[in-house]
Amino acid sequence: MDYAFLQQYWWFVVSLLGALFVFLTFVQGANTMIFSLSKTEEERRLIINSTGRKWELTFTTLVTFGGAFFASFPLFYSTSFGGAYWVWMLILFSFVLQAVAYEFQSKPGNVFGTNAYRWFLIINGIFGPLLVGAAVGTFFNGAEFIVNKDVMGAGGIISSWANPAHGLEAVLNPWNVILGIAVLFLSRTLGLLYIYNNVNDEGIKAAVPARVIANAVPFVILFVAFAVYLLIKDGWAVDEKGVVYIEEYKYLHNFLAMPVVLLLFLAGVVSVLAGIAMTAIKKCSCGIWYAGVGTVLTVLALLLVAGLNNTCYYPSLVDMQSSLNIANSSSSEFTLTVMTIVSVLVPFVLAYIAWAWRAIDKGGLDKSELHY
């Protein structure tokens, strides 16, 4: 395991965690439809109880994703989290609202009332995926920062932001917004597929298929538009000497240079569409698993092409040579080696999550649970 392999391995790990997080935003997506998908108080409680069993997985995966990024690529962490802090603070704040809502909405004597806390869940469900998608868009479209590598180890300021918006300017790029809205509609689609699988209530299930189509159509349109844009746009590449330059059709070249990643992407897209069709057309409850696996594969492939094959995964729009790639932003070889040894525990953690998921969801939810 040489240094280059360790850097690529940890980019894969970070990308996988990011892909898992995007899948788990089905919790946020389902919560945006607490009122529109239900007609009675019992139906609303069923939806909240269903997502309430999984919200901690989403939050934990987000924190793990941030921790893994910090440990393996600390220069990105200090540059983006320290510079574009308004975006990350808003994302974190929306998830704090979610945690508060689940904790206090059903407790007697709460100050705001039950429905106020449910609106907290809706706010998180809308702005969480939207802002995360816009932030990921900067991996391809760049951000306005400067990295002063000359002061590394000397105690000076390494990274600085080039504008007072500190990350909020990301929404001025229409393609970042398109990706953010696509992630929002994806989370809503996945949320509907999950509810159809997890909640045993005829009233809710009858309303799901039509809403799956209503949310899947804009998701597919926006995602295809972003995918086409990505394949034809220029990208930031880095040569053997570490010099950054613009390469035409960079992400198309990445897919062609890494056929395994291309196959992952295509398989993921097909799997997502199959999962949507299973629930929307065939009324099959297993659609969430096909769409979930497809989401993980698709997002994983996108993040891999953003960072592998000598690509700058965080381009600087004000100083090209400040752009970050996995070679110039990673931890030391010793740190990555130790982390790699510890990472052998990851499959056991995933196995535990799968076991716990199955144990919690065995039999699904129905109205009888509400009376215990």
Side-chain angles (χ1 to χ4, degrees), residues 249-316:
Y249 304 108
K250 175 58 177 170
Y251 300 104
L252 173 61
H253 293 164
N254 285 358
F255 274 120
L256 297 177
M258 299 182 291
V260 173
V261 176
L262 177 59
L263 288 175
L264 286 178
F265 178 78
L266 295 176
V269 171
V270 171
S271 186
V272 170
L273 295 176
I276 292 171
M278 284 180 177
T279 299
I281 300 174
K282 294 187 176 182
K283 310 297 190 295
C284 177
S285 63
C286 63
I288 180 61
W289 302 119
Y290 287 88
V293 171
T295 298
V296 173
L297 294 179
T298 303
V299 177
L300 174 61
L302 288 175
L303 292 176
L304 290 179
V305 299
L308 297 183
N309 196 38
N310 300 316
T311 307
C312 292
Y313 67 85
Y314 202 46
S316 173

Side-chain angles (χ1 to χ4, degrees), residues 17 21 56-70 77 92 95:
L17 289 170
F21 169 73
E56 290 174 316
L57 293 178
T58 310
F59 191 83
T60 301
T61 304
L62 176 62
V63 173
T64 305
F65 170 76
F69 232 140
F70 168 73
Y77 192 90
L92 181 60
F95 279 90

Side-chain angles (χ1 to χ4, degrees), residues 5-50:
F5 170 82
L6 292 171
Q7 292 168 330
Q8 294 174 15
Y9 171 77
W10 276 98
W11 183 256
F12 171 81
V13 172
V14 168
S15 299
L16 179 59
L17 289 170
L20 288 170
F21 169 73
V22 173
F23 160 59
L24 291 171
T25 59
F26 70 78
V27 172
Q28 280 64 42
N31 284 340
T32 63
M33 293 172 283
I34 291 173
F35 294 109
S36 62
L37 190 61
S38 60
K39 296 180 180 179
T40 66
E41 174 63 19
E42 284 187 328
E43 290 178 348
R44 285 189 281 274
R45 289 173 61 190
L46 275 176
I47 294 172
I48 294 170
N49 283 7
S50 178

Side-chain angles (χ1 to χ4, degrees), residues 337-355:
T337 300
V338 173
M339 289 169 54
T340 300
I341 295 172
V342 174
S343 71
V344 299
L345 298 175
V346 171
F348 295 97
V349 175
L350 293 177
Y352 170 75
I353 292 174
W355 174 83

Side-chain angles (χ1 to χ4, degrees), residues 52-91:
R53 295 182 172 192
K54 299 296 186 300
W55 76 270
E56 290 174 316
L57 293 178
T58 310
F59 191 83
T60 301
T61 304
L62 176 62
V63 173
T64 305
F65 170 76
F69 232 140
F70 168 73
S72 53
F73 301 98
L75 188 53
F76 167 80
Y77 192 90
S78 64
T79 300
S80 182
F81 287 72
Y85 53 76
W86 280 120
V87 171
W88 296 112
M89 287 294 290
L90 288 172
I91 292 172

Side-chain angles (χ1 to χ4, degrees), residues 8 30 43 56 66 97 129 135 138 148 168 190 212 247 285 296 363 368:
Q8 294 174 15
E43 290 178 348
E56 290 174 316
L97 282 180
T138 62
N148 184 6
L168 293 180
L190 293 174
V212 169
E247 179 180 333
S285 63
V296 173
S368 64

